[in-house]
Amino acid sequence: MKALRLVVAALALVGVTALAAPLPATATEEESPVTWAVSPADESGPDGRSWVELELDPGEAATEHLAVRNFGDREVTFALTAADGYFTPTGRFNMLPSDTESVAAGTWITVADQVTVAPGGTAVLPFTVQAPEDATPGDHAAGIAASIYTESADEGAGLGVESRVGFRVMTRVTGTVQPGLDVDTNPNYVISWNPFEPGMIELEYTLENTGNVRLSVSGSVEHGGSTYPAPDSEQALPIELLPGDRRSVSIQVPDVWPLGPVMLPLTITQGVIAPDGETETLDPVELEVTAWAIPWPHLIIILALALVIAGLFWGRRRRTKQIEHLVDEAREAGRREAAQAPPRDDADPVADPRS
């Protein structure tokens, strides 16, 4: 029986916050685990940045550094790769897996194929970002990572795991900045199971970055004197959209009685994220969303009761008409019988006294 070979990739990239705890990966069952971290650096070592932000003209190149830290107790050789970057539906930054070919900013990065790091040591390597001559203005996302590949065999099945840790590399190509945002709304009223309590509206809206630069976006709804989500809640935090990104967001608006159309003022705040991390505020997008709060279950029950009552009423009228019809037929039959009967002579013959 041929051995089954399965490859699994695991990736931990820097997103909005600093690099998380190093991702552990076990080389083999006999060897100690390998833990490591990768971060932006200068020539002397990690410089405290979470990721790399560059601004380049078309055709311009820049040299940056990365630091690979080996927290294990043995020497490890790491493979170094770069790939196109993207945000997942949950808002986490990621890069294409190693078996998927990059076609955008991931191809702009040149880095060594591998690096060997001593136990407890740190290796600092340069990498180059070269913007093509025909690079379009705006933001371009990529990621760079250090990885190890481990394999174990269990009863004839081979299991391979590629574990990667890295950070993102954002490049702003100079030129005309054109922010753009499309908003598509889909409100849905959720009725309460208790007819004496209000329901809620689930307002789902989809954001699409139609421009060429990153956007910081957040949305809120006003209803009944309150703002949803609450300004100090985690849901109120802005999300980041790369050019071309689409993201769906849901807001729950409670305490809505099913009394027909409900107007919900939706405000989308937006801003352009500059290469230095600052956000330039844009005019908000303001929409009036109409949600139909219709008590369909209640209306169905009322309709059913109305049909039952109408059925009873109609049945009673029908039976009354049937009885009236039978009485009329009986009367008509009596009249016909009376008209068809021969006349009767009730006088008795008188005897002639002369006889």
Side-chain angles (χ1 to χ4, degrees), residues 334-344:
R335 285 194 292 267
R336 287 197 299 268
E337 290 179 1
Q340 294 175 0
R344 258 178 31 174

Side-chain angles (χ1 to χ4, degrees), residues 89 184 206-209 241-242 244-248:
D184 184 29
T206 301
L207 304 168
E208 181 179 4
N209 185 345
L241 294 177
L242 293 171
D245 272 359
R246 287 175 59 90
R247 191 86 53 82
S248 293

Side-chain angles (χ1 to χ4, degrees), residues 249-266:
V249 183
S250 180
I251 297 177
Q252 293 185 347
V253 181
D255 300 328
V256 180
W257 289 99
L259 300 177
V262 179
M263 301 303 295
L264 296 176
L266 172 63

Side-chain angles (χ1 to χ4, degrees), residues 142-187:
I144 190 167
S147 63
I148 61 171
Y149 180 85
T150 59
E151 185 173 348
S152 64
D154 185 11
E155 297 180 358
L159 177 63
V161 178
E162 182 187 28
S163 302
R164 302 187 298 179
V165 180
F167 55 87
R168 57 169 152 161
V169 179
M170 299 298 305
T171 303
R172 167 74 62 86
V173 177
T174 58
T176 303
V177 172
Q178 295 178 331
L181 181 67
D182 281 350
V183 183
D184 184 29
T185 61
N186 181 28

Side-chain angles (χ1 to χ4, degrees), residues 42 48 55 59 78 82 92 148 151-152 156 161 179 205 217 291-292 317 327 330 347 353-354:
D42 54 26
E55 186 169 11
F78 299 94
R92 179 167 182 163
I148 61 171
E151 185 173 348
S152 64
V161 178
Y205 59 93
V217 186
W292 287 90
R317 284 185 56 110
V327 171
R354 294 176 295 181

Side-chain angles (χ1 to χ4, degrees), residues 16-352:
V16 178
T17 59
L19 185 64
L23 176 69
T26 303
T28 66
E29 294 183 357
E30 293 79 13
E31 295 179 323
S32 59
V34 178
T35 55
W36 71 103
V38 182
S39 62
D42 54 26
E43 294 181 357
S44 59
D47 57 11
R49 288 180 295 172
S50 298
W51 60 83
V52 171
E53 294 270 6
L54 298 171
E55 186 169 11
L56 301 175
D57 295 329
E60 185 181 1
T63 298
E64 283 283 347
H65 292 80
L66 63 88
V68 182
R69 288 172 286 175
N70 179 7
F71 299 107
D73 58 3
R74 60 190 175 88
E75 184 178 85
V76 180
T77 297
F78 299 94
L80 300 177
T81 56
D84 295 345
Y86 64 95
F87 282 106
T88 68
T90 59
R92 179 167 182 163
F93 189 82
N94 207 338
M95 60 185 269
L96 295 180
S98 57
D99 59 352
T100 302
E101 183 178 0
S102 294
V103 295
T107 63
W108 301 1
I109 299 176
T110 302
V111 66
D113 292 334
Q114 63 182 30
V115 60
T116 300
V117 186
T122 300
V124 176
L125 294 92
F127 66 92
T128 301
V129 181
Q130 171 77 55
E133 292 287 350
D134 59 352
T136 58
D139 289 328
H140 303 264
I144 190 167
S147 63
I148 61 171
Y149 180 85
T150 59
E151 185 173 348
S152 64
D154 185 11
E155 297 180 358
L159 177 63
V161 178
E162 182 187 28
S163 302
R164 302 187 298 179
V165 180
F167 55 87
R168 57 169 152 161
V169 179
M170 299 298 305
T171 303
R172 167 74 62 86
V173 177
T174 58
T176 303
V177 172
Q178 295 178 331
L181 181 67
D182 281 350
V183 183
D184 184 29
T185 61
N186 181 28
N188 179 41
Y189 182 69
V190 181
I191 196 167
S192 172
W193 64 270
N194 186 345
F196 302 102
E197 292 184 354
M200 69 175 181
I201 293 176
E202 289 185 348
L203 175 58
E204 180 177 307
Y205 59 93
T206 301
L207 304 168
E208 181 179 4
N209 185 345
T210 58
N212 62 2
V213 287
R214 283 180 295 160
L215 295 178
S216 174
V217 186
S218 63
S220 63
V221 170
E222 298 287 338
H223 178 70
S226 299
T227 302
Y228 304 96
D232 57 349
S233 67
E234 184 177 351
Q235 288 184 326
L237 295 175
I239 61 176
E240 187 174 345
L241 294 177
L242 293 171
D245 272 359
R246 287 175 59 90
R247 191 86 53 82
S248 293
V249 183
S250 180
I251 297 177
Q252 293 185 347
V253 181
D255 300 328
V256 180
W257 289 99
L259 300 177
V262 179
M263 301 303 295
L264 296 176
L266 172 63
T267 301
I268 306 295
T269 59
Q270 57 174 332
V272 175
I273 303 175
D276 61 2
E278 297 295 325
T279 300
E280 179 187 350
T281 303
L282 302 175
D283 292 336
V285 178
E286 297 181 345
L287 301 172
E288 285 287 341
V289 181
T290 302
W292 287 90
I294 306 298
W296 294 115
H298 302 76
L299 293 179
I300 292 174
I301 293 174
I302 293 174
L303 178 61
L305 290 175
L307 291 175
V308 171
I309 294 173
L312 293 174
F313 179 75
W314 181 79
R316 182 175 180 180
R317 284 185 56 110
R318 182 179 180 186
R319 288 193 297 270
T320 300
K321 289 184 177 181
Q322 287 177 343
I323 293 174
E324 292 176 352
H325 181 68
L326 291 175
V327 171
D328 291 341
E329 285 185 346
R331 288 175 179 172
E332 183 64 26
R335 285 194 292 267
R336 287 197 299 268
E337 290 179 1
Q340 294 175 0
R344 258 178 31 174
D345 188 2
D346 294 335
D348 292 335
V350 182
D352 190 351

